[in-house]
Amino acid sequence: MTSPPADDGVNDRLRASATGKAFAKLLPFLILMYIVAFLDRSNIGSAKQALHTDVGVSDAMFAFGAGVFFVGYALFEIPSNLILYRVGARRWMARIMVTWGVVSAAMMFTQGNLSFVLLRTLLGVAEAGFFPGIMLYLTFWFPEKERTRVLGVFYFGYPLAMTFGNPLSGALFNLDGLFGLAGWQWMFLLEGGLAVAMGIATWFVLPDKPQDVDWLSDDEKSTLSTILDRESQAKAGAGQHGASLGALLHSTKLLQFLALYMVMQVASYGVVFYLPEQVSLILHEKIGFRVGLVSGIPWAFAILSTFVITRFVQKYDAPRLGLLVCLSAAAIGLFVSSSHSGPIAIIGLCIAAAGVVTVQAVFWNFPLAHFTGVQAAGAIALINALGNLGGFAAPNIRSFASHIWETPVAGLYAVALSGLIGLAIASFLPRTNHVTHRPAH
């Protein structure tokens, strides 16, 4: 078998044309999918106060229920991603979104602690495989050179969901009493229904691979396939053994990725699940539209941060530096957000939100560059599944620390420490991802 030809001017032009078309055709819809996913995952932050007063969900059980989502998510993540690898993204993503939309809407029937925890567990099971499926899907379309920019733009979905989702959730609370339903019930019903609608649209909109579309020319399809195949061979030649799923168990690099991603999620969900309540305390108002609007400000700041830092990382090929900057921002921002001064606390939340969002867009460059083929499907799912257990830990860490030291500030400091731990882990990653460009042996 001959090696793929080196890129020439024509291939460079075709590469730019193919990836540009894929970017324009796929990213808007993928971002919309992610917005809906994160909205249904995090909207309980807006419902926290209402669930406590209306149906008696205690603070401790809220923390447990917020985090137990990630247990069901972790258990089914790997089989879900392997199924997607075999049956294609269109079918499996449609199934995932419809299923989790139904369960998310069913959150409106929460009657107390038990039903709340049960529904959150089922929501994790239903959504399992969504995010790693998207990460795997991007490797079917975009070469490594373009992936930093693609990941940066895709991750706009996270802060966009929070920027517009918090005001939306707050506004839906104003439907309180309509047809006998509470405002929080309307929020779960309508936002869950949106996921169902997106799942149906996914079946008709999302193509599985470049060969399935008519908006790429035959030359563009061939060029894109050649480049992606070459990168896959280079990973295997650099010792990644892309065809061996079992080899994952012996990968020290995978363990490093797992540990780093877990502490990142502790910081991330330590912000996500509590930001509306924190803003409510700063403004001395109950959660509603105004609190939701102010809660969107830190996430708008995160959009700007993601745009700037991912472009810096791509231009200077400095993913490790990007990780270190973002993890520092997350830790510093969480500490500053404990200030008794409202404006300073909001600034701290802006810095923290920027850190916890942007660090994830930078992080995924490492595992996506390190693994390939079915091993990539397993590795991405495993990293996301076990790493997201940090989302289980975050609310419980905050609740435990706040209870022990009898101040919510202790919970903030406990979560902020995860950013410092992440700094230590990230410092051992390679400065760049050039390993994937070694020639195959």
Side-chain angles (χ1 to χ4, degrees), residues 15 94 112 167 176 193 198-199 205 227 242 245 268 284 293 316 326 331 346 371 419 424 432:
R15 173 183 183 143
D176 188 63
M198 280 295 299
V205 172
I227 296 168
L245 190 57
S268 177
H284 306 290
L293 198 62
Y316 295 102
C326 294
I346 293 294
F371 301 105
T432 72

Side-chain angles (χ1 to χ4, degrees), residues 150-168:
V150 170
L151 284 169
V153 173
F154 171 72
Y155 258 97
F156 284 173
Y158 180 163
L160 281 171
M162 307 308 294
T163 301
F164 298 106
N166 282 318
L168 173 63

Side-chain angles (χ1 to χ4, degrees), residues 144 147-148 151 313 319 361-370 433:
E144 184 184 324
R147 215 171 284 151
T148 300
L151 284 169
V313 167
V362 177
F363 165 82
W364 281 106
N365 284 282
F366 286 97
L368 293 184
H370 194 78
N433 280 320

Side-chain angles (χ1 to χ4, degrees), residues 25-26 29 90 137 200-208 213 215:
K25 293 285 187 178
L26 300 178
F29 190 75
R90 180 175 66 89
Y137 182 71
I200 295 171
T202 297
W203 178 269
F204 296 100
V205 172
L206 197 68
D208 284 322
V213 301
W215 38 263

Side-chain angles (χ1 to χ4, degrees), residues 309 312-313 318-328 355 358-359 362-363:
I309 292 181
F312 172 87
V313 167
R320 185 179 66 184
L321 178 59
L323 283 179
L324 297 177
V325 169
C326 294
L327 288 165
S328 299
T358 309
V359 72
V362 177
F363 165 82

Side-chain angles (χ1 to χ4, degrees), residues 32-214:
L32 188 56
M33 290 171 67
Y34 192 34
I35 288 173
V36 174
F38 215 87
L39 191 62
D40 281 340
R41 180 186 297 189
S42 62
N43 57 12
I44 59 164
S46 296
K48 182 177 184 295
Q49 291 177 351
L51 289 169
H52 177 67
T53 57
D54 289 6
V55 296
V57 175
S58 67
D59 287 343
M61 290 308 292
F62 175 85
F64 181 77
V68 79
F69 165 94
F70 297 100
V71 176
Y73 196 91
L75 289 174
F76 291 88
E77 191 89 318
I78 295 176
S80 179
N81 220 34
L82 293 176
I83 292 172
L84 183 146
Y85 184 77
R86 288 172 172 81
V87 307
R90 180 175 66 89
R91 292 181 179 86
W92 199 241
M93 284 296 175
R95 194 285 304 164
I96 289 174
M97 295 197 74
V98 169
T99 306
W100 103 53
V102 170
V103 177
S104 183
M107 288 289 296
M108 67 182 289
F109 299 114
T110 299
Q111 295 297 313
N113 290 330
L114 180 60
S115 57
F116 175 69
V117 171
L118 176 61
L119 286 168
R120 285 291 295 178
T121 303
L122 290 175
L123 185 62
V125 172
E127 193 182 323
F130 172 78
F131 182 82
I134 294 291
M135 292 295 101
L136 181 64
Y137 182 71
L138 293 177
T139 68
F140 299 160
W141 288 87
F142 298 100
E144 184 184 324
K145 180 180 178 181
E146 287 80 12
R147 215 171 284 151
T148 300
R149 181 172 71 99
V150 170
L151 284 169
V153 173
F154 171 72
Y155 258 97
F156 284 173
Y158 180 163
L160 281 171
M162 307 308 294
T163 301
F164 298 106
N166 282 318
L168 173 63
S169 296
L172 292 177
F173 272 64
N174 294 331
L175 297 177
D176 188 63
L178 183 63
F179 298 117
L181 297 177
W184 62 271
Q185 291 178 304
W186 277 112
M187 180 193 72
F188 284 127
L189 175 63
L190 295 179
E191 292 180 357
L194 181 60
V196 173
M198 280 295 299
I200 295 171
T202 297
W203 178 269
F204 296 100
V205 172
L206 197 68
D208 284 322
K209 51 188 181 297
Q211 289 73 20
D212 297 334
V213 301
D214 57 10

